[in-house]
Amino acid sequence: QVQLVESGGDSVQAGGSLKLSCAASRYIFSSCRMGWFRQAPGKGRDLVSSISSHGTTTYADSVKGRFTISQDNAKNTLYLQMNSLKTEDTAVYYCAADCGNGRNWGQGTQVTVSS
C-alpha cells in the first residue's frame, strides 16, 4: 500500500491556472502507473491524465493542450498543471496509483472554476 496526499485545489476564475500536487509516501513511479481523475457533482469519476512508469502520458480530449502531467522523482510527487481553466473543470480531483495490486487513491482536492 502507498499513501497519496493531494493538495493545490482552490477556487479560481475561468482562464486561470492551478497546479495540483500528489505526494506519495514512498517512491513508486518506476513501478506504478499514476493518474489524475476527477469527479464533478452528480457524475462519475473520470480519468483526466495518466503517466506510465516509462513516462508515457495520456490526456482526456477535454483537457488536451491545457493540462500537463509530470512527476518529480526526488520528491515522490506527481503534478497536474492546469491552464486555461473552464467552469466545466470544476470537480474533486483525485490522484491514483496502479501498482499491480489494486488502485490506491488519494483523498481528493477540490477545484472550483467560476465564470
Side-chain angles (χ1 to χ4, degrees):
Q1 286 282 357
V2 59
Q3 283 69 52
L4 303 171
V5 179
E6 302 97 330
S7 61
D10 205 344
S11 296
V12 297
Q13 288 195 322
S17 297
L18 282 175
K19 187 172 185 178
L20 305 183
S21 299
C22 171
S25 57
R26 56 183 174 84
Y27 181 67
I28 56 172
F29 297 150
S30 63
S31 58
C32 301
R33 184 177 195 89
M34 303 297 297
W36 286 99
F37 290 75
R38 67 185 180 186
Q39 187 166 17
K43 296 189 177 181
R45 192 172 296 187
D46 298 323
L47 178 65
V48 174
S49 181
S50 70
I51 183 167
S52 75
S53 58
H54 301 290
T56 302
T57 59
T58 68
Y59 296 94
D61 287 342
S62 58
V63 306
K64 280 181 182 177
R66 300 189 298 122
F67 290 11
T68 302
I69 192 170
S70 63
Q71 59 194 37
D72 185 328
N73 293 338
K75 295 182 178 180
N76 295 343
T77 301
L78 179 74
Y79 301 102
L80 186 68
Q81 176 68 48
M82 306 187 295
N83 299 328
S84 302
L85 282 162
K86 304 176 180 180
T87 56
E88 51 264 43
D89 294 320
T90 294
V92 178
Y93 283 72
Y94 297 90
C95 172
D98 290 336
C99 307
N101 59 350
R103 179 170 289 167
N104 297 277
W105 293 98
Q107 83 287 352
T109 187
Q110 176 70 47
V111 172
T112 302
V113 185
S114 58
S115 59

